[in-house]
Amino acid sequence: MTSCGPTIKVTSDYDKSANFSQYKTFALVKPDPSKQSISQLNQNRIDNAIIAEMTKKGFTQAADADLLVNSVTILKDKQSVSSNTNYYGYGGYYRPYGWGGGMGATGYTTYNVQEYKDGSVIIEVVDAKTKNLLWEGIGNKEIDKPIKDPDTKIPLAVQKIMESFPPGLAPAKK
């Protein structure tokens, strides 16, 4: 994700029947480089931030892990279109069904098109044995320019996404 920071919108969901206290170890699932929508440098920043968050929450990174943690990034090109109509002229009338323009009434409409990227980071936590999805956190942000400090902003975004993992754990005080 080229620009994500503290203003990221976050949602999460989890398997209500899962017993998260039974899990102690985790491993990262490495994404397929040909399917990545971000640079390898930013993917490394996301991976390192996930490792830091999981470790901070008491999990240990291991090759034969209880949990598999996967991150997916999605960038979509989007457009925002707005319009403004100005009317000129004098007079006009009001009838019970609406307003009518006056004599010589003219108007014009201007349109403004803004190009931007819609960026999402999805973090999935899966039971390594059953392959069942246990928890998912999604961070989404409208990106209008490249990030200025990815070494700081990306870890902050991952921290915010993972704030509710594992469920039942109170968020860390800031």
Side-chain angles (χ1 to χ4, degrees):
M1 195 169 204
T2 58
S3 176
C4 51
T7 58
I8 192 169
K9 290 182 248 170
V10 174
T11 58
S12 65
D13 195 9
Y14 68 96
D15 180 349
K16 312 295 189 266
S17 67
N19 176 8
F20 287 90
S21 64
Q22 71 179 331
Y23 302 104
K24 305 294 182 212
T25 60
F26 75 97
L28 290 182
V29 176
K30 290 293 183 183
D32 180 351
S34 67
K35 296 181 181 178
Q36 286 185 309
S37 61
I38 60 172
S39 74
Q40 184 62 49
L41 291 172
N42 283 338
Q43 183 62 54
N44 290 343
R45 289 177 178 109
I46 290 170
D47 290 347
N48 290 334
I50 290 171
I51 292 167
E53 287 302 307
M54 292 295 288
T55 303
K56 185 167 58 173
K57 293 171 185 286
F59 295 92
T60 304
Q61 192 171 9
D64 186 27
D66 302 327
L67 297 172
L68 300 176
V69 183
N70 181 42
S71 68
V72 178
T73 54
I74 301 169
L75 293 175
K76 291 183 179 179
D77 292 320
K78 297 247 181 155
Q79 288 184 339
S80 172
V81 180
S82 60
S83 65
N84 185 33
T85 303
N86 292 314
Y87 294 101
Y88 295 98
Y90 297 97
Y93 58 90
Y94 176 78
R95 292 201 176 154
Y97 305 108
W99 170 261
M103 297 274 298
T106 61
Y108 68 92
T109 302
T110 57
Y111 297 94
N112 183 22
V113 178
Q114 179 183 355
E115 306 277 337
Y116 68 95
K117 290 195 180 292
D118 182 62
S120 296
V121 174
I122 303 166
I123 300 173
E124 303 168 324
V125 178
V126 175
D127 183 297
K129 289 180 184 148
T130 66
K131 305 298 187 233
N132 288 332
L133 180 64
L134 300 174
W135 181 89
E136 178 178 63
I138 302 170
N140 181 268
K141 181 173 179 176
E142 184 177 301
I143 303 167
D144 56 1
K145 62 186 176 238
I147 192 168
K148 288 190 180 178
D149 184 9
D151 290 323
T152 301
K153 303 261 174 136
I154 289 175
L156 285 173
V158 170
Q159 178 182 5
K160 190 165 184 179
I161 293 167
M162 295 190 72
E163 205 167 63
S164 68
F165 179 81
L169 180 69
K173 302 231 181 200
K174 295 179 171 107

